[in-house]
Amino acid sequence: MSLECPSPGGRLDPMRPLGASPGQPARMLRRSLSWLLPILLLALGLGCHGHSNPNAVGQPPSITLQPLDTTTVTGRQVSLTINVEGAPVIAYQWAKDGVQIFGSQVQGGTFTLYDPQPADSGRYSVTVTNDYGSVTSYAAALTVVPTPEFKAPVSVVSDAAGNLFISDRDDQVIWQVSPSKQMTLLAGSRGVAGSADGQGSGAQFRNPGGLAFDPNGNLLVADTGNHTLRRVAMDGTVTTLAGAPGQPGTANGVGTLARFNGPSGLVADARGGLYISDSRNHTIRFMAADGTVSTYAGTPGVSGQGNGSTGSAQFDQPNGLALGPDGTLYIADYGNSCIRMISPTAQVSTLAGLAGTVGYSDGTGTSALFHQPVGIALDIDLSVWVTDTYNHTIRRITSDGTVTSPAGSGLAGNVDGSGVTAQFDLPCGITRVNSGYLAGHFVVADTANRILRVVGSDGTVTAL
């Protein structure tokens, strides 16, 4: 018997005899099908199997990992995920409390809330469908715990009653957060940059930075973008104390005759004096109780790393400040990535970090490395706590310069936990709370995460 091959693109005609004797075509066709059919079935995956394949064609979906009950806080990204076996899935349909959800937050077997709010709390389930059936998952409970949320919190201080005060750089305002976590706008016009004095929302700031309390209980603000120092009374009345809005400079003088260039960190002494890190002038300034501003340390307009007397020492964009009970001033020297100190005898030295070298390592003195630290605060034992901003960690320095990392892993994130399991994202301000339910804890302005974090002395981190 001879077979005729079809021409390119052609097909065989099963009704035309192929040179065979009469009566044979039907028998030959049946014989051909008898050995072709098993081959075709195997090619299509419909033949017999020696074992079960959960992904085989014909299997309805089966959920092997159910979504888990989850708790998060305001603004902290959260995802619910399932795993599925069976034939290829055609559709995942997520629902909240039985109501279908549509949008970019649905990505197949994962549902993500990028900015969860308390109203998002509820029970979430997903129905999975393929050509052979459908199945609905367990309805997982999602709880979103409310926590104060900001645009860009950069500095935080607390008063004797345990209230927190926060400068929100991008929202151009000063917030007050009560011990019950109630947020109140103390001063500033939300989202509106300006320099107006006034009360409450009638006042304006431009990228407010460092905060400190004076002995009379007024809040002092480094109005960084305006190059001024402002005072906020507890009724929200804002007054400009020193500097001229929009006029950077280095001049000393009384009140508005003085000039600053990007003032950032502040710390007050018991006599009403105020230390200011005049960041872009690379100096530490001092404003006496009568409003007279002078240069305390550093050379105006000249950055550097030199230690020595306050008149010859140099800084590079100094930022956060803390004042010890003996008068020692501690400085987060942001541009030099180290921690400096000025003794009561006006001598500048490096407490920890290697000036001009960026890194992340614990150690003693210059063997420890930082990456552009911003905030600084003192513990009751006089250890120095630092927000190592671009390392996304909280560092601790003892009096002999030994540096450890109580919280954070060096990786950016938004995770509560203890030690290296906790994560921050560009933490800036830090303060120790001395009264109220947070007494003995540090509160950190976790800037890129837009929330406040509470850090215990053991390195345990929670959202406020």
Side-chain angles (χ1 to χ4, degrees):
M1 182 183 76
S2 64
L3 291 177
E4 179 180 337
C5 293
S7 62
R11 299 196 303 175
L12 288 172
D13 183 355
M15 301 303 294
R16 184 168 75 88
L18 302 179
S21 60
Q24 287 184 336
R27 288 195 301 273
M28 289 192 301
L29 181 60
R30 285 195 297 270
R31 291 170 182 169
S32 298
L33 289 175
S34 68
W35 60 267
L36 284 173
L37 184 59
I39 295 174
L40 290 171
L41 289 173
L42 287 172
L44 292 173
L46 299 178
C48 298
H49 294 278
H51 62 278
S52 176
N53 181 357
N55 294 314
V57 174
Q59 292 288 337
S62 172
I63 297 175
T64 59
L65 176 65
Q66 296 283 350
L68 301 176
D69 294 341
T70 304
T71 299
T72 188
V73 298
T74 303
R76 178 178 290 163
Q77 179 177 315
V78 63
S79 295
L80 299 173
T81 300
I82 63 167
N83 285 343
V84 178
E85 290 184 351
V89 171
I90 294 175
Y92 295 85
Q93 180 57 67
W94 285 87
K96 177 197 172 190
D97 298 329
V99 179
Q100 291 183 346
I101 301 170
F102 302 94
S104 61
Q105 68 265 45
V106 178
Q107 297 292 332
T110 299
F111 172 78
T112 301
L113 285 170
Y114 296 97
D115 185 20
Q117 301 297 315
D120 293 315
S121 296
R123 287 198 168 271
Y124 289 78
S125 61
V126 58
T127 298
V128 185
T129 304
N130 66 14
D131 283 335
Y132 303 96
S134 65
V135 63
T136 298
S137 74
Y138 164 72
L142 174 64
T143 303
V144 182
V145 179
T147 189
E149 191 175 17
F150 311 86
K151 282 192 174 181
V154 293
S155 185
V156 56
V157 294
S158 64
D159 66 11
N163 295 296
L164 299 172
F165 297 82
I166 301 94
S167 58
D168 195 333
R169 180 191 60 203
D170 290 355
D171 214 6
Q172 316 296 346
V173 294
I174 308 300
W175 292 99
Q176 178 179 338
V177 177
S178 72
S180 62
K181 302 184 184 180
Q182 295 300 308
M183 287 180 64
T184 303
L185 180 65
L186 180 63
S189 179
R190 295 194 65 182
V192 179
S195 60
D197 287 342
Q199 186 173 21
S201 59
Q204 294 176 335
F205 300 89
R206 187 179 301 276
N207 307 128
L211 302 174
F213 279 103
D214 69 16
N216 298 318
N218 296 302
L219 186 65
L220 305 177
V221 181
D223 195 356
T224 306
N226 278 324
H227 313 291
T228 57
L229 302 180
R230 316 286 290 279
R231 180 178 62 205
V232 185
M234 288 300 98
D235 65 355
T237 300
V238 179
T239 307
T240 299
L241 296 179
Q247 298 183 36
T250 62
N252 292 320
V254 178
T256 56
L257 296 178
R259 295 290 182 270
F260 303 91
N261 192 354
S264 52
L266 301 177
V267 66
D269 65 22
R271 298 181 299 276
L274 182 68
Y275 293 92
I276 308 111
S277 55
D278 195 359
S279 188
R280 293 175 204 160
N281 279 329
H282 311 293
T283 55
I284 307 299
R285 312 288 290 280
F286 181 76
M287 185 174 71
D290 65 358
T292 301
V293 176
S294 58
T295 299
Y296 180 64
T299 303
V302 179
S303 64
Q305 307 168 357
N307 290 320
S309 67
T310 53
S312 62
Q314 295 174 329
F315 303 89
D316 189 347
Q317 301 176 67
N319 207 300
L321 300 175
L323 188 63
D326 66 347
T328 299
L329 184 67
Y330 299 89
I331 304 146
D333 197 352
Y334 174 87
N336 279 322
S337 291
C338 64
I339 306 303
R340 314 284 291 280
M341 55 191 293
I342 304 177
S343 72
T345 58
Q347 293 295 308
V348 178
S349 60
T350 299
L351 176 63
L354 183 59
T357 301
V358 167
Y360 178 39
S361 64
D362 291 339
T364 300
T366 57
S367 67
L369 296 177
F370 300 82
H371 192 174
Q372 296 176 312
V374 169
I376 192 166
L378 290 181
D379 203 349
I380 194 169
D381 63 358
L382 302 185
S383 59
V384 179
W385 287 63
V386 178
T387 54
D388 193 357
T389 301
Y390 282 87
N391 278 325
H392 314 289
T393 57
I394 308 302
R395 315 291 292 276
R396 179 179 182 269
I397 312 172
T398 59
S399 58
D400 66 352
T402 300
V403 179
T404 55
S405 302
S409 64
L411 300 174
N414 188 347
V415 179
D416 289 341
S418 182
V420 296
T421 64
Q423 291 181 338
F424 303 83
D425 195 347
L426 300 179
C428 286
I430 185 171
T431 190
R432 186 183 190 276
V433 180
N434 296 316
S435 58
Y437 79 105
L438 292 176
H441 292 76
F442 291 89
V443 174
V444 174
D446 196 359
T447 303
N449 281 325
R450 302 184 296 147
I451 59 175
L452 301 178
R453 311 288 290 279
V454 179
V455 183
S457 57
D458 62 351
T460 301
V461 180
T462 58
L464 180 68

